[in-house]
Amino acid sequence: MTTESTLTLTTRTLELAELGGDSPLPSVQSLLEPPYTVGNDIPEEISAGVRWGKASNIYPYPMQDDYSRESSATELTAVVLENAQVKATFLPQLGGRLWELTDKATGKALLHTQDRIQFANLALRNAWFAGGIEWNIGTRGHSPTTAVPLHTAIVRTPEGQEVLRMWEFDRLREVVFQLDAWLPAESKVVFTAVRIRNPNDKTVPMYWWSNAAVPQTPATRVIAPAAHAYATDYDGSMARVDPTNFHGSDCTFPVKNAQAVDFFFDIAPEERRWEVAADDAGDGLALISSPQLRGRKLFVWGENVGGHRWQEWLTPSGSGEPGSDLGGEPRRYAEIQAGLAQTQFEHVPMPAGASWQWVEAYGNAALDPALAAGSWPETVTHAAKRVEALVPEQAISDALSDAGRWADLPPAEMVVAGNGWGALERVRRQHSQTDWIDETGTPFGVETLTADQAPWLELLTANEGIVEKPFEATAAQAPSQPFGGAGSFVRGVDWEDLLTAGRNVSAEGAFHHAVMIHARASSSAGDLAVVATLYRQALEGTFAAGAELSARSRALSHRGLGLALLAAGDAAGGLSECAMACTLEPGSRNLLIETMTLALDNGRPDLALGLLSGAAEAVTVLGRVRFLQARALAGSEDGDAAAAILRAGIEVPDMREGANSIAELWRRVCPGEDLPEAYQFSMH
């Protein structure tokens, strides 16, 4: 048997849904999350982490909500780590996801995966897809980088180990993260080392969870070294429970959960950090880490119609095995996860200038099936022994030491380019003379800069003190004024200062300044009044630097003003401004969907229907718009017309996780009629 370990660059063809372009709307609206509530039995450390650090919105990231249910064969870059024991496949262009992990001794796939990737509305930026192991940073939810390429390279160490390195600049917390993955020649586990660096002069709220989708069979059991867990619900509540006797069932078996639930295992500080999913043969993924990665979680969709519907929506039936045809029995999955905090409700403080690193290991714990299904104390004791046999605690410590020595080794070969925001951030910090990272191991090359960053670089160049001008904009990209407008958005007080400095304030600059203030404004009347004033000034266009707003920026200014007025309690004024934005951009699906939703939420179905008459036909036929039309018709006492739309069948690709709005509308306008299975998304 060979003891060689290889790293191979290859491609993988998958049925991939069309993601579509980023939303043009700046993401200034609050994140849609339940109000978190914790019981009296929850430790103060967790309660404090729940109260602190929550991001108000996902700005400056744009939403990714323009996908469909149509897919096509797409060739993706893949990186394969393989030895005689394990084969691991990573997809750098899709958030760096560890897509497949095979235990060669048994031939079993340790991760739930499929041949068709379908996006759905579960992530912070909307678009998310199921399967493999994903990496989540910044704030509670599936990461802003979960469906985009990461900077990717091959690193070769002095010892001869080939390492896959992926990295990116997180624009929300303004930190840099990197993930190194390697497979020693005789190892039964793949190692990943995560490093986060905070170059800021202040403490930032930090969040990290590695989420692994694992096959769920009738016998699957999830095991961690804890007698209790913190269980959460979709209403945001949390309670400390015995997961082996939750609502009368041993819910460490995913199939025994009647509804969707999270279990965050309460692992004692002195215990080793691990979690295992074992099937009827005792095989399944073991997720082991160094102590820094504290939390362990089990997530289940629940054994009800809605939970099954969600899994079929995310993993179309029969697409689970390589080469399989669509149309077979749907496969179920659960998730086991590891994070920095005890629960996913929390953020942890990352001090100014800090650099954190930990190691994770993934492999097959190969439990005895009888012991895996036994009494909880017996099962945990047995699983702990098998975890130690799979990867001794000292091996994790040694891997962490290796990762520290390798972290700043320069890439030997670039594989995939990420986005240009890291390169722009370097120039911004040079201009403002603030600290930045050592980029030796994680370079943000000037070749990654695009038209998205061009106007912001031009803004820096137009001000004295620029250290370098790394990007020469083409004639098509270059603004005609010191700041001629950008289709992208940034955050930071220094950007705000540059936009308003001197005599060269343009209408476009004033619009972007208004957006930045809006994104960090509180819900106080004073802050909202300032935001409204700034949008009005941009719309007036009386600036020394000349031209009025572009058509797009004018529409977005009306939209921003409308949102500020709505938040301040002026529903009539706010809806009027949002409607004006739709009038200026009749082909914008984003503006139409948002404004129709706001109109309906504020009791104006007439306005929602009126907006349709001025919208482009290509927009009015979309599934989401048709659903909003049905809502508006029902609200206008035309239930028959609403029912006709629902009976004809609508499909909303970006249905929100946990949403039950289509079913509720059906029951309202089609009383007594059976709810179609296609509309059953309720998680309760």
Side-chain angles (χ1 to χ4, degrees):
M1 179 182 291
T2 179
T3 59
E4 181 184 15
S5 174
T6 61
L7 186 156
T8 306
L9 301 181
T10 183
T11 60
R12 180 70 189 275
T13 298
L14 297 169
E15 280 289 315
L16 181 66
E18 176 60 44
L19 182 58
D22 291 343
S23 170
L25 311 185
S27 302
V28 295
Q29 289 184 288
S30 298
L31 292 173
L32 297 176
E33 292 187 320
Y36 302 145
T37 57
V38 295
N40 295 330
D41 58 346
I42 305 301
E44 174 56 25
E45 178 188 6
I46 294 178
S47 298
V50 170
R51 293 191 298 266
W52 179 78
K54 181 177 178 289
S56 58
N57 51 53
I58 201 62
Y59 184 87
Y61 286 105
M63 299 301 285
Q64 296 174 305
D65 55 6
D66 195 17
Y67 49 86
S68 72
R69 299 289 295 176
E70 300 297 322
S71 63
S72 60
T74 304
E75 186 176 86
L76 298 169
T77 297
V79 182
V80 178
L81 305 182
E82 185 171 11
N83 64 12
Q85 312 284 343
V86 178
K87 180 179 180 181
T89 301
F90 292 80
L91 300 179
Q93 291 162 301
L94 289 173
R97 197 166 295 204
L98 173 47
W99 186 238
E100 293 174 341
L101 183 63
T102 303
D103 171 47
K104 290 189 172 182
T106 61
K108 288 189 175 179
L110 302 181
L111 298 173
H112 169 86
T113 187
Q114 62 266 0
D115 277 349
R116 175 179 168 185
I117 291 178
Q118 179 59 59
F119 298 108
N121 186 4
L122 281 80
L124 288 166
R125 296 176 66 186
N126 188 316
W128 181 81
F129 62 100
I133 301 179
E134 64 167 327
W135 329 104
N136 299 298
I137 188 172
T139 194
R140 183 178 187 268
H142 296 285
S143 178
T145 56
T146 197
V148 298
L150 299 183
H151 298 281
T152 305
I154 307 304
V155 173
R156 297 185 175 91
T157 75
E159 298 88 344
Q161 179 69 57
E162 288 192 309
V163 177
L164 168 65
R165 175 167 296 163
M166 298 178 288
W167 68 98
E168 193 52 271
F169 170 61
D170 174 61
R171 303 179 68 201
L172 181 65
R173 300 304 191 186
E174 299 182 6
V175 300
V176 173
F177 69 92
Q178 76 183 74
L179 187 140
D180 287 358
W182 71 99
L183 180 62
E186 299 181 2
S187 177
K188 293 184 178 181
V189 297
V190 172
F191 290 102
T192 61
V194 178
R195 180 169 68 158
I196 305 175
R197 286 179 284 175
N198 175 17
N200 302 290
D201 59 1
K202 62 183 179 182
T203 296
V204 297
M206 190 43 58
Y207 170 102
W208 180 279
W209 282 80
S210 301
N211 293 5
V214 295
Q216 177 185 308
T217 71
T220 296
R221 193 181 201 185
V222 173
I223 308 153
H228 291 87
Y230 299 100
T232 65
D233 204 345
Y234 271 78
D235 63 2
S237 62
M238 181 194 300
R240 191 169 187 265
V241 304
D242 176 358
T244 67
N245 185 18
F246 184 63
H247 298 315
S249 298
D250 184 346
C251 290
T252 61
F253 293 89
V255 295
K256 295 186 178 182
N257 288 273
Q259 66 181 44
V261 64
D262 299 323
F263 293 104
F264 297 99
F265 291 102
D266 188 11
I267 302 175
E270 65 274 12
E271 291 285 353
R272 195 174 178 195
R273 262 45 196 174
W274 57 266
E275 187 175 15
V276 171
D279 64 14
D280 57 353
D283 296 316
L285 182 71
L287 189 166
I288 308 127
S289 75
S290 50
Q292 295 92 332
L293 208 59
R294 176 182 179 182
R296 290 297 185 276
K297 171 188 169 182
L298 163 64
F299 167 74
V300 295
W301 283 101
E303 297 304 300
N304 56 42
V305 174
H308 290 171
R309 174 63 175 149
W310 267 110
Q311 294 192 68
E312 292 159 9
W313 187 252
L314 291 163
T315 306
S317 299
S319 63
E321 299 297 333
S324 70
D325 295 324
L326 298 179
E329 287 297 318
R331 297 185 317 125
R332 311 296 185 205
Y333 76 93
E335 293 181 6
I336 63 174
Q337 308 179 12
L340 282 174
Q342 175 77 42
T343 75
Q344 284 180 333
F345 284 49
E346 304 163 74
H347 296 92
V348 294
M350 186 175 193
S355 177
W356 291 350
Q357 190 172 41
W358 63 86
V359 162
E360 304 174 38
Y362 303 100
N364 184 3
L367 307 188
D368 180 297
L371 293 175
S375 70
W376 187 250
E378 178 185 48
T379 296
V380 170
T381 299
H382 169 65
K385 291 178 180 178
R386 287 298 175 91
V387 165
E388 179 67 16
L390 176 67
V391 55
E393 194 165 5
Q394 185 59 49
I396 293 288
S397 180
D398 292 344
L400 182 59
S401 177
D402 287 340
R405 289 186 292 105
W406 300 340
D408 289 315
L409 292 177
E413 180 181 351
M414 294 298 297
V415 177
V416 169
N419 64 60
W421 295 110
L424 178 69
E425 183 69 6
R426 178 184 64 248
V427 181
R428 177 179 83 96
R429 288 176 182 255
Q430 289 172 336
H431 179 269
S432 61
Q433 299 182 347
T434 53
D435 291 337
W436 182 232
I437 63 163
D438 177 355
E439 287 190 28
T440 303
T442 54
F444 294 102
V446 296
E447 68 278 1
T448 64
L449 292 162
T450 68
D452 282 341
Q453 292 84 41
W456 303 106
L457 285 165
E458 192 73 13
L459 179 62
L460 289 171
T461 305
N463 288 265
E464 294 182 3
I466 185 71
V467 176
E468 61 173 311
K469 186 177 180 181
F471 176 74
E472 294 295 335
T474 67
Q477 297 165 343
S480 59
Q481 304 168 49
F483 186 80
S488 58
F489 299 92
V490 296
R491 69 192 295 264
V493 174
D494 52 341
W495 286 118
E496 296 171 18
D497 292 342
L498 288 172
L499 285 171
T500 58
R503 295 176 298 172
N504 292 320
V505 181
S506 67
E508 292 288 338
F511 158 66
H512 277 274
H513 180 235
V515 170
M516 290 183 204
I517 299 298
H518 193 175
R520 64 179 177 87
S522 72
S523 58
S524 71
D527 275 7
L528 293 171
V530 169
V531 170
T533 297
L534 291 172
Y535 280 122
R536 288 189 176 106
Q537 289 176 347
L539 287 165
E540 290 168 2
T542 54
F543 298 95
E548 294 184 351
L549 288 171
S550 65
R552 169 63 55 83
S553 296
R554 178 166 290 278
L556 294 181
S557 292
H558 281 290
R559 178 253 187 180
L561 176 56
L563 294 180
L565 293 175
L566 281 164
D570 181 2
L575 291 174
S576 176
E577 292 293 336
C578 290
M580 175 59 73
C582 291
T583 300
L584 293 173
E585 289 275 312
S588 172
R589 61 173 297 279
N590 310 90
L591 284 172
L592 180 64
I593 289 170
E594 180 180 74
T595 305
M596 288 185 71
T597 303
L598 290 170
L600 291 167
D601 291 347
N602 283 275
R604 289 289 309 279
D606 58 315
L607 175 59
L609 292 172
L611 291 168
L612 288 172
S613 63
E617 182 179 357
V619 175
T620 61
V621 298
L622 296 174
R624 169 68 69 178
V625 176
R626 292 283 286 163
F627 168 60
L628 292 171
Q629 181 183 14
R631 275 187 63 191
L633 288 166
S636 299
E637 305 304 326
D638 193 350
D640 290 344
I645 291 175
L646 296 186
R647 292 191 187 107
I650 56 173
E651 187 174 70
V652 182
D654 63 333
M655 179 63 63
R656 176 80 176 172
E657 179 187 10
N660 197 31
S661 49
I662 298 181
E664 291 169 353
L665 183 60
W666 175 276
R667 294 188 179 102
R668 177 181 172 186
V669 300
C670 303
E673 298 182 35
D674 291 339
L675 178 67
E677 185 176 320
Y679 294 162
Q680 297 183 31
F681 287 93
S682 174
M683 301 300 293
H684 300 279

